[in-house]
Amino acid sequence: MSTAPIRIAVDIGGTFTDIEILDAATGEIHQMKTPSTPSDPSIGLLTGIREASERFGFSLDQVQYLLHGTTIATNAVLERKLPLGAVVTTAGFEDVMQIGRHGRTDVYAITASPPPALVKRRLSFGVPERIGADGRIITALDEAAVEALAGALIQSGVKSVAVCFLNAYANAVHERRAGEILRALLPGVEVSLSCDISPELREYERMSTTLLNALLVPVVKTYTDRLAGKLKEEVPQTQVYLVQSNGGVAGLGKAGREPARLLLSGPSGGAAAARRLSAALDEPNLVAVDMGGTSFDVSVVHDGVVSMVNEGDVDGLPVRLPMIEMRTIGAGGGSIAWVDDGGRLRIGPHSAGAEPGPACYGRGGERLTVTDANLLLGRLDGSSFMGGRMGLDRDAAGRAAVDVAGKLKLSPEETAAGVIAVTNSSLATAIRLSLFEKGMDPEDFALLSFGGAGGVHACEVAEELGMNKVIFPAHASTLSAWGILWSDITHDLASTQIGLLADIGPSLADRAVALAKDGDRLLAEDGVAAANRAFEWALDLRYQGQAFDLRVQLPEADFSPEGIARAAAAFHALHRQRFSYDEPAVPVEVVALRLSAVGRLAKPTPAPATGAVAGAEQIRPVYGRGGFVETRVVAREAVTAEGVAGPAVVEEVYTATYLPAGWTIRSHATGALVAERTQRH
């Protein structure tokens, strides 16, 4: 048995836990899936690692890195399974969380439906202090008031406290002192400071982010402590990292202190994979779509760069942290089909999940899901699912379809076809919105399809969008875990600086030096050698008078007159692309300087993709255009560069691809399969 180190990436989804294993000795990459365990995700994770050890022949003490994407933080917010928390803010601003922003997501609704406040008004406390927008101290912090407040917090029984003073992004001295006092007087209570979590302007967004972080600390620390304890017993040599929303990873310590950075942990792995594949495939423009058991995630790679945003939201709550731009809808293989009061067929957002799962899993599920529909239409084979280790019950899927079919007055097969049509329409709409809001045309992109449920939908979704190429990467079913496999440590730092670019641009060089010093310190704490550190810079820019800004990537921290001119030109071009116009005559304003400090983790070289091999073909009836058609079924390994014409089904261990008539699929040197549209219908 080899003694070379093993690198493992894990993506825990709502239905399956995906695992990728990279063997440094051979460069081989192995994939596997195991059912998730929602009651304690670490159980499924450790079960999968043990199974992988036995199947692929390595010992657990060889595991050097364990990179872990998790939905712990996201699920806690969505389900509101959060501890009691409080907010401490500047006196007079205690109502910020209750007031929020008065934006309306549904402009036609008679009444607004803001998300419920994360903290009760009686637990929003103000203390005398005031910092000006320029960082000057206007009113000194009343330390006696903070000390007195500690008693009230103890009486209230809170487990977490968020400290968010007005304009603390400009001067954090009051927040830091208040934090020192509260931590000394409130042992066992988690205290989060906005200057540590989100040191940026806009008090509501900053307070929401800091409060989310404070409330998540007990939840995530409980999980990370439990996971660390189990891993210490079974995988003693491993270094554990959790995936952040920015696509990078962080150690368990930072993840426990700043769990708000984990809110898009799992899906960001797929976007990171898409960025890596964009270069390997020579496809600079990709729409990456990840369809798993419970959700459908869309991210965009444009000119080889993944779209990033400075702010996202979870269940309507703003999160002011850099994250990969992602659109997620509740449409996965386990999404449940139902008929509304108007007689319309609807899909999701409710999912059968891992327990009990779709009806065809035979675990007690009785409602029709997207996976059941694909099985009824012949696009999935019940005997080969999960490599034959998990058979699917077609009769159970048929019984689940009866209730919905009766309401629609259709046969079970016609109902299943309707489920797929409605699902495909929802998926196409999500992709269309992700591109149109950026001023982009779907026809200029290739679709990168992955996730266990995506392959049987991708080509039909591409047709609906007018796209002509779909790429199915190697390890498609576990690609988010594959993307995590190549992740690096990433720290996001920001310095809010508001002023005209032409005026304050030169002074940004000093700010860049300070940020770089902080980035070096953080990476040194992670044990990253200087040679393995990289800095990625960006500016938040807007036209003078605008209320929003755009993130502009910089090739380097160059704030010479030439560098400032290039940054302004890049902003004009991005504004023109996003909004169809620019205004070069209007002065450009700086909002913030950003730094991503990246620590490169050692990565073995993967083995080259293996070529196609001959394999037995089958023929089975598959529902396509005009009903059931006798359709070729081939193994993925048998697809050559000459290609396979549709209609066809391409099967592999953990997923399948449906190729409609008018498409041809070919192998690629990277191990991917590329389907191209050869005729329109």
Side-chain angles (χ1 to χ4, degrees), residues 32-51:
M32 65 170 291
K33 297 172 85 76
T34 189
S36 294
T37 51
S39 59
D40 182 354
S42 65
I43 295 174
L45 182 151
L46 286 167
T47 299
I49 292 175
R50 289 191 209 102
E51 290 178 1

Side-chain angles (χ1 to χ4, degrees), residues 603-623:
K603 302 177 186 69
T605 302
T610 56
V613 295
E617 289 190 12
Q618 298 177 354
I619 300 291
R620 73 167 180 254
V622 175
Y623 195 99

Side-chain angles (χ1 to χ4, degrees), residues 95-394:
D95 296 301
V96 166
M97 283 304 298
Q98 279 67 37
I99 295 172
R101 296 287 179 201
H102 285 190
R104 296 171 69 101
T105 55
D106 185 353
V107 296
Y108 299 106
I110 297 174
T111 58
S113 300
L118 282 170
V119 66
K120 299 180 184 297
R121 175 59 182 83
R122 64 180 177 82
L123 295 177
S124 294
F125 301 95
V127 295
E129 72 84 37
R130 190 65 177 265
I131 299 285
D134 58 1
R136 290 184 302 109
I137 297 176
I138 298 172
T139 302
L141 174 67
D142 187 338
E143 296 189 11
V146 179
E147 293 173 0
L149 177 58
L153 291 169
I154 292 173
Q155 290 294 322
S156 68
V158 298
K159 303 298 182 184
S160 299
V161 176
V163 182
C164 188
F165 290 154
L166 198 67
N167 297 321
Y169 66 85
N171 184 346
V173 63
H174 286 176
E175 269 197 6
R176 297 211 178 277
R177 180 57 186 148
E180 290 174 0
I181 295 171
L182 292 174
R183 285 172 176 143
L185 297 177
L186 299 173
V189 175
E190 302 295 342
V191 178
S192 293
L193 310 180
S194 77
C195 58
D196 291 331
I197 307 303
S198 181
E200 303 189 32
L201 81 170
R202 299 191 175 95
E203 66 276 10
Y204 170 58
E205 289 76 8
R206 182 160 50 91
M207 187 179 291
S208 172
T209 306
T210 308
L211 181 55
L212 277 169
N213 192 84
L215 295 174
L216 286 168
V217 168
V219 176
V220 173
K221 281 189 72 173
T222 298
Y223 174 71
T224 56
D225 290 348
R226 183 169 62 241
L227 177 63
K230 291 179 178 179
L231 290 173
K232 188 174 182 180
E233 295 176 3
E234 301 202 37
V235 196
Q237 305 300 322
T238 189
Q239 299 178 51
V240 185
Y241 295 95
L242 294 188
V243 182
Q244 304 177 103
S245 303
N246 59 13
V249 296
L252 289 182
K254 181 182 178 183
R257 293 190 307 272
E258 302 181 9
R261 299 185 186 276
L262 307 178
L263 284 166
L264 284 181
S265 173
S268 68
R275 177 175 54 197
R276 185 178 179 89
L277 287 169
S278 173
L281 293 162
D282 194 25
E283 291 282 353
N285 295 337
L286 291 173
V287 179
V289 293
D290 180 2
M291 186 175 181
T294 56
S295 64
F296 180 75
D297 304 313
V298 183
S299 55
V300 176
V301 181
H302 183 239
D303 290 337
V305 178
V306 175
S307 298
M308 299 285 294
V309 292
N310 299 329
E311 181 183 313
D313 75 82
V314 177
D315 199 27
L317 298 164
V319 182
R320 185 76 178 172
L321 290 171
M323 58 182 65
I324 290 173
E325 188 172 13
M326 193 87 60
R327 171 171 268 104
T328 298
I329 63 172
S335 294
I336 294 170
W338 53 287
V339 179
D340 66 16
D341 293 339
R344 295 181 302 169
L345 176 62
R346 308 285 293 275
I347 310 297
H350 304 294
S351 172
E355 299 172 355
C360 61
Y361 282 12
R363 295 177 177 168
E366 297 179 348
R367 302 186 67 182
L368 179 66
T369 68
V370 175
T371 295
D372 294 315
N374 277 306
L375 180 62
L376 290 172
L377 297 182
R379 300 182 180 191
L380 295 178
D381 180 11
S383 63
S384 64
F385 190 75
M386 292 285 286
R389 295 194 309 278
M390 181 178 170
L392 299 182
D393 187 341
R394 193 178 190 281

